[in-house]
Amino acid sequence: MEDLRIIKTEYSEEMQKSFIDYAMSVIIARALPDVRDGLKPVQRRILYDMHELGINHDKPYRKCARIVGDTMGKYHPHGDSSIYDALVVMSQKFKKGLPLVDGHGNFGNIDGDGAAAMRYTEARLQKVTQETFLSDLDKDVVNFVPNFDANEKEPEVLPVRIPNFLINGSEGIAVGMTTSTPPHNLSEVIDAFKAYMNDPEISTRELMKFIKGPDFPTGGVVTNKDELLEIYETGVGKVKIRGKVEYEKVKGGKTNVVITEIPYPMIGMNISKFLQDIATLVETKKTQDVVDISNQSSKEGIRIVIELRKDADAENFVNLLYKKTRLEDTFGVNMLAIKDGKPETMGLRQILQANMDFQFDIATRKYTNLLAKELTKKEVQEGLIKACNIIDLIIEILRGSKDKTMAKNCLMEGKVDGIKFKSKESKVMAAGLNFTERQANAILDMKLYKLIGLEINALINEHEETLANIFRYEDILDRRDSMAQVIINELEQYRKEYGTPRKTLIENAEEATYKEKEIEEMDVVFLMDRFGYARCVDIPTYERNKDAADAENKYVFVCKNTGKVCLFTSSGQLHTIKVIDLPFGKFRDKGKPIDNISNFNSANEEIVYITSQTQLNLRQVIFVTKQGMTKIVDGGEFDVSKRTVAATKLNDADTVVSVMSLLEQRNIILQTKDGFFLRFSIEEIPEKKKAAVGVRAIKLNPKDEVEKVYYTRNLIESIIQYKDKPVVLNNIKPGKRDTKGTKIRV
């Protein structure tokens, strides 16, 4: 057993080193694509494994479970779900501009429904993947590295012949960094790549004559064309994108808003969220133009139909959707990828430069390999042609040799010892032979039918073709222009076969502006019952049902339909509600819980007082707390834009007992839990700011607290019931603020 060594090190240093190692592992080996092939490791390994399994585009589909299992066992030692998810995404046309996998079965949809389990689905490579991603792996064009357990070899990068990093884009989250590259049109990218190869000094602005901007599989409209130049120069920015909207006239003079293309970020469950957002706009009365919403999307494409009222302004409504929903969204661009083994954010020129260097590297290795093979063929062919010219001598050597080694030595070095010849001339000729080892082996392996005249002619023609190939390959390797032209010719072929028209429109659009319809101002009556259900009715409706309304509701007051309702709570908060957000209708219509239309939380606080903002602005407000603190605040201080603000400052463990608008009240009576009543003039209460605690209204015994607050007016008798005994408030002995008051015994 080896001796164990304990290494002492600084904890922070070890943590820092370990975290950096972990972060780099995630960055390099999982989350970020390589700028050369535009693939993350899991994607690269899936495609290579399918290539190794022979699951080509012209072969039958194979179960995804087989592909995932083989990839995981050989190359990618991570969870099967992550491998399958990557496989699914590479097959989804609505996520990838150029799908790399041909999926068969349920591979999910644009609405966000997931793919079926891998045991049900099947897949194979797309033709474009075979031709542009995997075709030259047998020509030593990329390096192969050991897999995780060193039992297999895998390509360090795939020999992708097109700038896939731009074409398919990429999204990933690493440790401390993210990549987010939008997809682009294959034809445009190839055109820009060709232009860059012809002129590496070309500017980003000139390149954008070819690449107009992102081309999302879902279409849509990019609305910030003028900002794209900076994005492509820096590799960072935000692309604003809208869905495509059409207007359809229907019977009755109505207009339907039809969404036929969605913003790329809306893919998935965000379509459902979009429909919910429209419903919320209707429920909150942000718009009253919507009659019906239906999602009629199918395999043929997106079709979301919003039916509007006859008099609705359709364009204004669409602007509302742009402002309040994800029909207008942003795609955050951060073109980050692995370059030379390190993560780097690149602009368009840097990406094309990296791809050009990669293409030249691939072509150099490919044609070096092909040249070596052609030179070998040339050597063999020259030997066979020479042998055919002296075939009688060759046959004589073979018949006169004792074994293959003797014959081979004669062919290569002219050794004739031990070989029986028919004549001295033959022996002299044999002594002058100097075939190479490769030529000698080819001669010894040559079959007799090769001596037929037509076969000899075919050999000569093949030799001429080999010489032409050698000349061509040497020209490609010696002259950069020749190699560049070969690469450009291949790109043009791919463009012709796999190019598609642009789907996303690029333009400069004005910012969406929505004009809210002006509401005709009118008086309405606010009603809230003891269960907290609130609503509004018009004045005539209230007057017809006045007795029932007053009896059934805890709060009843008149307010403006354009105004606000103010809720003061025991926790010292003020919650405001727009009257327009309250249900408005018939008297017997059910209201909405006040919790649902405000920030008020009935679990943590109680409503102490409710009034309208209009009334509050014209009056002063009296506060009384459980610990006996009081103050008067000008109602105008509560005219705020926020939905919730602090209405008063409270001491620890204190709560608000009473809030009341001051109108004709003259005296205030405080009732404590222990039965003390203190009556004093309201004039003794000072006016304070809402942020103040106030002054002491009553001296309380230990553990006593203010329980109720009453107000009286001059010449108007007020009677309450206290422990089943009537108490005339006007008869309570007047006192002074900050005294104990009178104890009433029953």
Side-chain angles (χ1 to χ4, degrees), residues 34-136:
D34 192 298
V35 69
R36 295 172 292 177
D37 62 5
L39 298 172
K40 298 178 185 179
V42 63
Q43 297 170 324
R44 186 180 304 118
R45 288 162 175 168
I46 290 170
L47 297 180
Y48 178 67
D49 185 75
M50 293 177 73
H51 172 72
E52 287 291 285
L53 291 173
I55 313 175
N56 298 330
H57 77 280
D58 53 354
K59 298 291 178 64
Y61 294 95
R62 298 283 287 275
K63 285 288 186 183
C64 290
R66 169 66 191 277
I67 299 169
V68 171
D70 204 60
T71 302
M72 182 167 57
K74 289 182 178 178
Y75 310 115
H76 198 68
H78 301 286
D80 57 354
S81 61
S82 64
I83 300 173
Y84 184 51
D85 288 345
L87 175 65
V88 168
V89 170
M90 285 194 291
S91 74
Q92 293 176 327
K93 295 180 180 179
F94 52 86
K95 282 190 178 179
K96 295 293 181 183
L98 186 69
L100 305 179
V101 173
D102 179 10
H104 183 244
N106 177 13
F107 275 77
N109 57 38
I110 198 169
D111 287 331
D113 298 324
M118 69 180 82
R119 61 182 178 274
Y120 300 120
T121 56
E122 298 175 324
R124 64 185 178 189
L125 291 169
Q126 292 276 13
K127 182 182 178 183
V128 64
T129 313
Q130 286 180 236
E131 292 187 359
T132 63
F133 282 66
L134 302 160
S135 61
D136 290 330

Side-chain angles (χ1 to χ4, degrees), residues 317-335:
F317 172 74
V318 170
N319 283 338
L320 173 66
L321 297 185
Y322 288 149
K323 296 286 285 184
K324 301 293 185 180
T325 71
R326 298 192 70 172
L327 188 60
E328 179 177 279
D329 211 335
T330 58
F331 182 95
V333 177
N334 184 25
M335 295 194 286

Side-chain angles (χ1 to χ4, degrees), residues 715-735:
L715 305 178
I716 299 177
E717 187 174 77
S718 298
I719 302 175
I720 64 164
Q721 294 291 323
Y722 176 67
K723 295 185 178 180
D724 297 329
K725 175 183 177 181
V727 175
V728 180
L729 297 176
N730 305 70
N731 294 339
I732 295 175
K733 181 181 177 181

Side-chain angles (χ1 to χ4, degrees), residues 560-709:
K560 296 289 185 182
N561 63 337
T562 56
K564 296 178 182 178
V565 172
C566 299
L567 284 69
F568 292 90
T569 68
S570 57
S571 63
Q573 299 294 307
L574 167 65
H575 303 295
T576 59
I577 307 168
K578 289 183 179 179
V579 176
I580 195 67
D581 292 339
L582 292 163
F584 180 86
K586 299 178 182 178
F587 179 71
R588 288 300 173 188
D589 288 349
K590 190 174 183 180
K592 279 188 177 180
I594 205 76
D595 305 52
N596 295 354
I597 48 181
S598 70
N599 291 337
F600 168 68
N601 186 349
S602 58
N604 301 325
E605 54 186 352
E606 297 177 2
I607 295 175
V608 176
Y609 182 58
I610 301 180
T611 187
S612 72
Q613 183 75 66
T614 305
Q615 293 175 353
L616 202 60
N617 289 344
L618 299 174
R619 302 176 186 175
Q620 292 178 308
V621 182
I622 303 175
F623 286 82
V624 180
T625 73
K626 181 176 67 174
Q627 294 179 2
M629 304 304 291
T630 187
K631 67 178 178 180
I632 292 177
V633 181
D634 184 85
E637 287 200 41
F638 303 110
D639 191 355
V640 294
S641 58
K642 293 183 178 180
R643 294 188 66 189
T644 300
V645 296
T648 186
K649 185 177 181 181
L650 294 172
N651 292 323
D652 293 343
D654 201 2
T655 59
V656 177
V657 174
S658 172
V659 179
M660 181 60 66
S661 295
L662 183 59
L663 189 59
E664 298 178 359
Q665 302 94 322
R666 292 293 179 266
N667 295 288
I668 182 171
I669 298 96
L670 308 182
Q671 174 191 326
T672 73
K673 186 172 65 174
D674 290 346
F676 285 90
F677 284 75
L678 174 61
R679 173 188 170 198
F680 61 91
S681 173
I682 291 175
E683 294 179 355
E684 295 188 48
I685 304 175
E687 184 173 337
K688 300 278 187 181
K689 295 293 184 182
K690 71 175 188 290
V693 175
V695 298
R696 191 164 65 177
I698 185 172
K699 288 183 179 179
L700 296 171
N701 291 329
K703 297 185 180 181
D704 196 8
E705 60 188 35
V706 176
E707 198 171 54
K708 292 184 179 180
V709 180

Side-chain angles (χ1 to χ4, degrees), residues 166 204 207-208 211 232 335 346-352:
L166 287 172
T204 304
L207 285 171
M208 289 187 66
I211 297 180
Y232 283 116
M335 295 194 286
M346 292 167 281
L348 181 58
R349 293 184 74 256
Q350 290 92 332
I351 293 170
L352 294 177

Side-chain angles (χ1 to χ4, degrees), residues 3-16:
D3 294 335
L4 296 177
R5 290 192 305 153
I6 298 176
I7 301 174
K8 293 184 178 181
T9 182
E10 180 66 32
Y11 179 77
S12 60
E13 292 179 2
E14 183 63 28
M15 286 295 294
Q16 184 179 19

Side-chain angles (χ1 to χ4, degrees), residues 226-351:
D226 288 346
E227 297 176 13
L228 296 182
L229 176 60
E230 184 178 356
I231 292 174
Y232 283 116
E233 283 183 338
T234 63
V236 178
K238 290 184 178 180
V239 174
K240 295 180 181 178
I241 182 168
R242 293 176 178 174
K244 188 175 181 182
V245 177
E246 297 176 357
Y247 302 99
E248 291 183 355
K249 296 291 185 182
V250 293
K251 292 181 180 179
K254 296 181 180 180
T255 301
N256 286 351
V257 172
V258 182
I259 299 165
T260 56
E261 294 176 3
I262 60 172
Y264 188 68
M266 198 190 283
I267 290 175
M269 298 305 294
N270 284 325
I271 294 180
S272 301
K273 177 68 166 55
F274 170 66
L275 299 176
Q276 291 173 3
D277 288 343
I278 298 176
T280 301
L281 291 174
V282 176
E283 291 175 0
T284 57
K285 298 185 180 178
K286 297 291 183 184
T287 179
Q288 297 181 357
D289 294 335
V290 179
V291 175
D292 189 32
I293 311 170
S294 60
N295 187 0
Q296 301 175 11
S297 303
S298 63
K299 291 182 179 180
E300 282 68 39
I302 294 292
R303 182 177 170 82
I304 299 172
V305 181
I306 305 170
E307 184 181 342
L308 302 183
R309 298 185 188 278
K310 184 176 180 180
D311 59 343
D313 184 340
E315 290 187 6
N316 193 47
F317 172 74
V318 170
N319 283 338
L320 173 66
L321 297 185
Y322 288 149
K323 296 286 285 184
K324 301 293 185 180
T325 71
R326 298 192 70 172
L327 188 60
E328 179 177 279
D329 211 335
T330 58
F331 182 95
V333 177
N334 184 25
M335 295 194 286
L336 176 73
I338 302 300
K339 180 184 177 185
D340 299 329
K342 297 180 292 185
E344 183 176 334
T345 299
M346 292 167 281
L348 181 58
R349 293 184 74 256
Q350 290 92 332
I351 293 170

